[in-house]
Amino acid sequence: SSGINAEYGGDKLLFERLEDIGDKAIHVYNQPDAGPLGASDEKGHIHTYSSVMCWVACDRLGKIATHLKLADRARFWTEHAKRIHEDILEKCWNKNLNSITDIWGGDDVDAHLLFLPEVGFIKHEDPMFIGTLNYVEKVLRCGNYMLLMSPKKRGVLASEHKNVSTTATLWFINALAGVGRKAEAKTLFENLLKMCPTGLISEELDPETGEMWGNFPKTTSMVGLIECALKLSVEWEAVI
């Protein structure tokens, strides 16, 4: 048996298989990695986003175990998730910047930090996230759009490569809506929609000409487009 239950979606057997992933997460969450962009890093940095994804693995296993009424395993995974969560915030919070940073002990940010509330790692209203959002906006905002990483991380090509990231822009719009800046989020969203008249969106845009660059269509941007549309739409209860 595969452990898949057609009616309920999963069972104890499938859960036990998923625990192997959780075990891996426990052991690598605080180890150097290539980061969300898969770039080689000779300096041995630990990327915040990667660590948070390891937290997600433990957190979700704890929730699944609770659902399956496996008390011991629920306690095991919940305790590991709590420990990892505390460790990440301790190592990745920069008091001088009033922001979570892109790597452990770092002094820079990237747009992936805007995604942290979406996986439940931190609440939109948490002062730590609001501080992070403000600093990310300060460093990465480019008019009506966002960069995926800071200019200094982009290196020597930054002066020549002026394209902006549609995924980062949509994460930013989503974050703005989450902290209550909905009017601003709606304006930015409507502007971005004008750049994709076909309903499909590319990986990057030239902010001056609107020319599409990179992968087309870009899956993460399409998902972001849908999420922003849902978050910014008027609820049915308000119109019926």
Side-chain angles (χ1 to χ4, degrees):
S1 170
S2 66
I4 299 295
N5 186 299
E7 183 177 358
Y8 300 107
D11 59 12
K12 184 179 177 181
L13 178 58
L14 177 57
F15 169 73
E16 290 172 349
R17 293 181 176 181
L18 293 175
E19 285 192 295
D20 290 340
I21 300 174
D23 288 334
K24 183 71 173 179
I26 290 172
H27 289 95
V28 304
Y29 86 92
N30 59 357
Q31 300 300 310
D33 69 287
L37 298 179
S40 59
D41 189 348
E42 297 178 354
K43 296 182 179 180
H45 289 141
I46 306 170
H47 292 82
T48 304
Y49 184 81
S50 302
S51 296
V52 170
M53 291 301 104
C54 291
W55 168 83
V56 169
C58 297
D59 178 72
R60 300 314 191 260
L61 283 167
K63 288 178 169 60
I64 294 170
T66 298
H67 177 73
L68 294 175
K69 295 180 173 55
L70 304 173
D72 289 344
R73 303 313 294 164
R75 187 181 313 106
F76 175 87
W77 289 113
T78 299
E79 289 176 354
H80 275 292
K82 183 176 184 293
R83 176 179 60 83
I84 292 172
H85 188 277
E86 292 173 348
D87 202 14
I88 293 171
L89 288 182
E90 179 184 349
K91 302 298 195 309
C92 301
W93 177 252
N94 186 313
K95 292 182 179 179
N96 294 327
L97 303 181
N98 192 38
S99 175
I100 298 171
T101 55
D102 60 341
I103 59 174
W104 287 39
D107 59 2
D108 202 359
V109 292
D110 62 32
H112 294 89
L113 299 175
L114 300 175
F115 197 68
L116 302 189
E118 301 304 311
V119 296
F121 183 79
I122 194 169
K123 294 183 181 299
H124 282 102
E125 62 269 23
D126 191 306
M128 295 181 78
F129 179 71
I130 293 176
T132 300
L133 173 60
N134 291 338
Y135 191 71
V136 168
E137 179 177 11
K138 176 182 177 181
V139 174
L140 302 183
R141 187 162 183 176
C142 182
N144 291 325
Y145 307 97
M146 295 288 284
L147 302 173
L148 190 59
M149 64 184 75
S150 68
K152 67 179 181 181
K153 284 281 177 65
R154 299 172 84 191
V156 296
L157 294 178
S159 60
E160 302 176 4
H161 184 70
K162 299 183 182 298
N163 293 345
V164 293
S165 167
T166 58
T167 299
T169 301
L170 288 161
W171 285 344
F172 179 60
I173 292 170
N174 205 19
L176 289 180
V179 300
R181 295 165 60 181
K182 282 197 171 184
E184 185 178 358
K186 185 176 181 181
T187 298
L188 295 177
F189 187 56
E190 290 175 345
N191 173 75
L192 189 60
L193 289 179
K194 294 176 182 177
M195 300 298 178
C196 48
T198 64
L200 301 177
I201 190 168
S202 60
E203 180 179 12
E204 295 183 344
L205 288 173
D206 183 319
E208 297 179 359
T209 66
E211 185 176 13
M212 296 184 177
W213 284 75
N215 294 331
F216 179 85
K218 178 67 174 178
T219 304
T220 53
S221 297
M222 293 300 300
V223 172
L225 201 68
I226 295 168
E227 289 181 341
C228 286
L230 290 171
K231 185 163 288 187
L232 294 171
S233 295
V234 177
E235 295 182 0
W236 279 111
E237 290 77 4
V239 295
I240 59 174

